[in-house]
Amino acid sequence: MGRLDGKRALVTAAGQGIGRASVLAMAAEGAQVFATDINEAALAGLGDGIEAFVLDVRDPDSVAQGMARARPDVLFNCAGFVHHGSVLEAQDEEWDFALDLNVRSMFRTMRAALPGMLERGGGSIINMSSACSSVIGAPNRFIYGTTKAAVIGMTKSVAVDFITRGIRCNCICPGTVESPSWHDRVKSLGEQVGSYEEALRQFVSRQPMGRVAKAEEIAALVVYLASDESAFTTGQPFVIDGGWSG
Ligand code: NAD
């Protein structure tokens, strides 16, 4: 018997990284998984039984169509973007883009998924925040940290409003996780600091365990929060950061 038997789970940004690992982990536990991403090609090869389709979390129509199709009991809002720079480098357009993709998108998806969850008597919403948020400040993450702190506030707000109606809402705050976009960030930092190796050393050195996380380690927490094992848990940020903020 799977830990998620009978549950329908929709994942955003499921094409790669943590989203993809979470799709595979939830499917392995018996969930009917709807894997969505803006990049159709990235959704290829997820395997039989996983329904994959394009969903742009910045587009309200796309979100509405996706929720009507999946009717999820579990919503994993994973989409997000990392802006690099301090307050002095941050541009208005970059702020608007990141707030829209990292925060407003979750407002859209939760607002679209909640009525169905309430009608069916319950649901679990899992939002992707970061250790870099209200938990800890990280260098050159002004816009990013702001957006991920907002995710924690939004999560607590939804949790408290629906706590008596079977809806749970939690968020995940990872430290650095190996993913395609993280590799791109290491490459671009490498251009600034002289080499890829030096950039890698800097990223790893802020993780006290001496390594970054694997996406599968975050996916294990997603499975727990999606399952009824976490039935007494709501409104919480779950820090999973290899001791970075400890
Ligand atoms: P990633 O950044 O490598 O992949 C992101 C995915 O999002 C891509 O497949 C992309 O196509 C998709 N995407 C982009 N815009 C979209 C849109 N408008 N609608 C739907 N999908 C869209 O994956 P990752 O590094 O695993 O990051 C996933 C989430 O985890 C993000 O919210 C990120 O902020 C958060 N996070 C990542 C780390 C890390 O170190 N990797 C740490 C903490 C939190």
Side-chain angles (χ1 to χ4, degrees):
M1 221 179 90
R3 294 156 70 200
L4 299 176
D5 281 352
K7 293 195 191 297
R8 300 165 67 89
L10 185 141
V11 179
T12 70
Q16 61 187 43
I18 300 166
R20 190 177 184 98
S22 301
V23 163
L24 298 174
M26 287 200 282
E29 289 294 346
Q32 183 174 353
V33 183
F34 299 83
T36 73
D37 200 288
I38 197 174
N39 178 356
E40 188 169 20
L43 291 168
L46 276 166
D48 292 343
I50 293 170
E51 201 170 316
F53 59 89
V54 171
L55 189 159
D56 176 358
V57 296
R58 301 188 65 212
D59 174 354
D61 291 337
S62 176
V63 168
Q65 283 162 21
M67 294 306 158
R69 177 166 170 181
R71 289 177 289 111
D73 309 301
V74 174
L75 169 63
F76 177 27
N77 279 319
C78 187
F81 170 76
V82 181
H83 173 267
H84 180 91
S86 76
V87 61
L88 295 179
E89 283 91 43
Q91 302 297 316
D92 283 347
E93 318 78 68
E94 295 170 330
W95 170 274
D96 290 345
F97 173 77
L99 263 289
D100 192 58
L101 177 51
N102 295 9
V103 184
R104 192 168 182 180
S105 67
M106 298 189 188
F107 163 40
R108 287 188 194 104
T109 55
M110 290 192 290
R111 189 170 55 182
L114 266 165
M117 288 181 174
L118 289 167
E119 220 174 274
R120 291 185 295 277
S124 175
I125 299 171
I126 304 157
N127 292 328
M128 180 53 86
S129 177
S130 171
C132 170
S133 58
S134 51
V135 176
I136 195 171
N140 291 310
R141 291 290 179 267
F142 168 68
I143 290 181
Y144 184 70
T146 303
T147 64
K148 294 301 188 179
V151 170
I152 296 177
M154 198 163 53
T155 298
K156 286 183 177 289
S157 177
V158 170
V160 81
D161 281 339
F162 296 96
I163 199 161
T164 59
R165 298 166 76 190
I167 307 292
R168 298 184 298 110
C169 184
N170 294 286
C171 63
I172 298 183
C173 305
T176 306
V177 184
E178 190 169 359
S179 75
S181 75
W182 176 67
H183 280 294
D184 293 342
R185 289 191 288 282
V186 178
K187 269 184 223 144
S188 67
L189 183 65
E191 282 156 23
Q192 290 167 40
V193 299
S195 70
Y196 181 87
E197 288 67 31
E198 173 53 19
L200 194 59
R201 195 197 61 72
Q202 287 187 16
F203 267 106
V204 172
S205 71
R206 68 185 195 185
Q207 297 292 144
M209 282 189 188
R211 68 172 180 88
V212 300
K214 296 187 190 80
E216 291 72 21
E217 292 174 299
I218 314 303
L221 180 55
V222 173
V223 169
Y224 168 70
L225 291 173
S227 79
D228 296 337
E229 293 161 14
S230 58
F232 203 52
T233 298
T234 193
Q236 293 305 316
F238 282 79
V239 178
I240 175 165
D241 68 351
W244 185 19
S245 64

